[in-house]
């Protein structure tokens, strides 16, 4: 399995012209790094413009957030089916910045569950983002993650695991100075596999890619992937600078 790198641009860049420049550079990186699967989740207003002009297959697109309902009175929102029509194959679901927004009310595990169901019904690939807000020595964070996984995957059938990706992102490591220690990443992703195995059996649990996200950059990407034993990375800030992102992807070639 190739490592997956998801470039989560969040609410960047400011203009479509800049987004196109960044995409041009990522296309070049992708053409020299065919052993790494690259996915970009641009702001939704740029998605169609970027995806419709791209005839290649080395870069895939995703949506950062979309509602489960196909249509309706939800001012300012977009639906999963609209995202698919605009060119998204992947859907980030339950990113920390949607669960715990700086203002307003965040999405719940039940919202994530509906979005996973919606994405799968559209033959999209849900990237379920989970992670604790803080850790405690009694392991309360593990129960917290278990609940996130159990509820969001409650409607999934065993055979659908071939399309599911989990991104483990401890909230405290997002936008931070340093990533989580690889040993702790390893331990937590093992736990997530166990949660999935307990419910769905070991086959889906072992084959499902688990990514890590939270302060990954070109300097730590390789170690995080190898020693954290993850199958890919969800990258925020380091995906916005073309040179840094190119170095990050190159670091994952020939693992
Ligand atoms: P970061 O963001 O790489 O800037 O920490 C990661 C994320 O939010 O997915």
């Amino acid at each position: 399995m190739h490592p997956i790198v998801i470039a989560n641009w969040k609410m960047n860049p400011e203009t479509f012209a800049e987004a196109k420049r960044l995409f041009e550079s990522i296309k070049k990186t992708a053409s020299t790094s065919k052993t790494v699967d690259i996915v970009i989740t641009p702001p939704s207003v740029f998605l169609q413009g970027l995806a419709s002009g791209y005839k290649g297959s080395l870069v895939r697109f995703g949506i950062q957030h979309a509602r489960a309902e196909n249509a309706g009175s939800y001012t300012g929102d977009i639906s999963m089916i609209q995202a698919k029509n605009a060119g998204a194959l992947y859907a980030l679901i339950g990113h920390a910045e949607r669960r715990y927004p700086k203002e307003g009310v965040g999405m719940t595990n039940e919202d994530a569950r509906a979005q996973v169901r919606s994405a799968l019904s559209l033959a999209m690939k849900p990237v379920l983002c989970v992670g604790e807000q803080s850790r405690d020595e009694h392991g309360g964070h593990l129960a917290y993650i278990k609940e996130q996984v159990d509820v969001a995957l409650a409607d999934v059938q065993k055979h659908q695991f071939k399309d599911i990706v989990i991104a483990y992102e401890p909230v405290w490591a997002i936008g931070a100075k340093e990533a989580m220690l690889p040993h702790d990443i390893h331990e937590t992703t093992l736990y997530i596999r166990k949660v999935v195995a307990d419910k769905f059996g070991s086959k889906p649990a072992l084959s499902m890619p688990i990514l890590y996200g939270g302060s990954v950059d070109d300097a730590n990407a390789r170690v995080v992937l190898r020693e954290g034993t993850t199958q890919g990375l969800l990258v925020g800030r380091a995906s916005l600078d073309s040179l840094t992102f190119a170095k990050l992807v190159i670091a994952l070639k020939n693992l």
Side-chain angles (χ1 to χ4, degrees):
M1 188 195 290
H2 292 167
I4 304 169
V5 176
I6 304 183
N8 179 14
W9 289 0
K10 307 193 180 184
M11 202 172 73
N12 303 288
E14 291 179 13
T15 65
F16 185 61
E18 287 173 83
K20 260 170 69 180
R21 272 201 296 279
L22 194 51
F23 180 52
E24 285 308 316
S25 132
I26 290 177
K27 278 197 314 200
K28 278 197 201 113
T29 303
S31 66
T32 57
S33 312
K34 293 185 182 157
T35 53
V36 180
D37 291 344
I38 299 177
V39 179
I40 313 177
T41 62
S44 53
V45 283
F46 299 154
L47 174 63
Q48 178 135 28
L50 294 176
S52 64
Y54 178 57
K55 300 286 171 261
S57 59
L58 292 173
V59 181
R60 310 265 189 199
F61 289 93
I63 191 79
Q64 296 175 12
H65 173 72
R67 286 193 78 93
E69 297 84 356
N70 285 347
S73 301
Y74 301 102
T75 302
D77 279 350
I78 56 164
S79 67
M80 205 60 85
I81 196 163
Q82 289 167 337
K84 177 171 177 162
N85 279 306
L89 172 63
Y90 289 80
L92 298 186
I93 293 177
H95 187 279
E97 285 153 14
R98 303 301 313 193
R99 292 183 190 262
Y100 324 105
K102 293 190 179 90
E103 54 196 42
V105 181
M107 59 179 280
T108 63
N109 287 335
E110 283 296 336
D111 295 331
R113 173 181 181 173
Q115 290 168 20
V116 167
R117 209 172 44 224
S118 168
L120 287 173
S121 75
L122 295 163
M124 292 169 74
K125 294 178 184 290
V127 180
L128 175 66
C129 304
V130 298
E132 75 281 4
Q133 288 179 278
S134 60
R135 297 207 138 200
D136 65 66
E137 68 273 25
H138 309 297
H141 55 280
L142 294 179
Y144 190 83
I145 294 170
K146 175 172 164 38
E147 175 85 5
Q148 290 181 320
V149 173
D150 277 345
V151 175
L153 301 184
D155 305 318
V156 175
Q157 310 287 312
K158 256 189 191 179
H159 72 271
Q160 293 176 307
F161 272 86
K162 65 176 181 5
D163 290 322
I164 292 194
V165 178
I166 289 188
Y168 170 56
E169 296 202 299
V171 180
W172 48 270
I174 296 175
K177 275 208 182 92
E178 284 175 30
M180 190 183 209
L181 294 173
H183 172 266
D184 294 337
I185 298 173
H186 176 60
E187 209 172 75
T188 317
T189 56
L190 271 183
Y191 175 75
I192 293 172
R193 286 200 197 282
K194 181 181 174 319
V195 168
V196 173
D198 285 349
K199 209 149 156 218
F200 299 95
S202 57
K203 206 171 159 221
L206 291 174
S207 61
M208 175 186 65
I210 301 186
L211 319 185
Y212 167 80
S215 301
V216 173
D217 58 25
D218 52 327
N220 64 17
R222 193 174 167 92
V223 167
V224 163
L225 197 94
R226 279 178 68 165
E227 293 174 23
T229 50
T230 65
Q231 288 69 51
L233 304 168
L234 178 49
V235 184
R237 287 158 297 168
S239 71
L240 295 171
D241 178 78
S242 21
L243 193 61
T244 307
F245 189 68
K247 283 199 213 153
L248 186 157
V249 171
I250 288 164
L252 306 183
K253 279 168 68 175
N254 318 315
L255 273 173

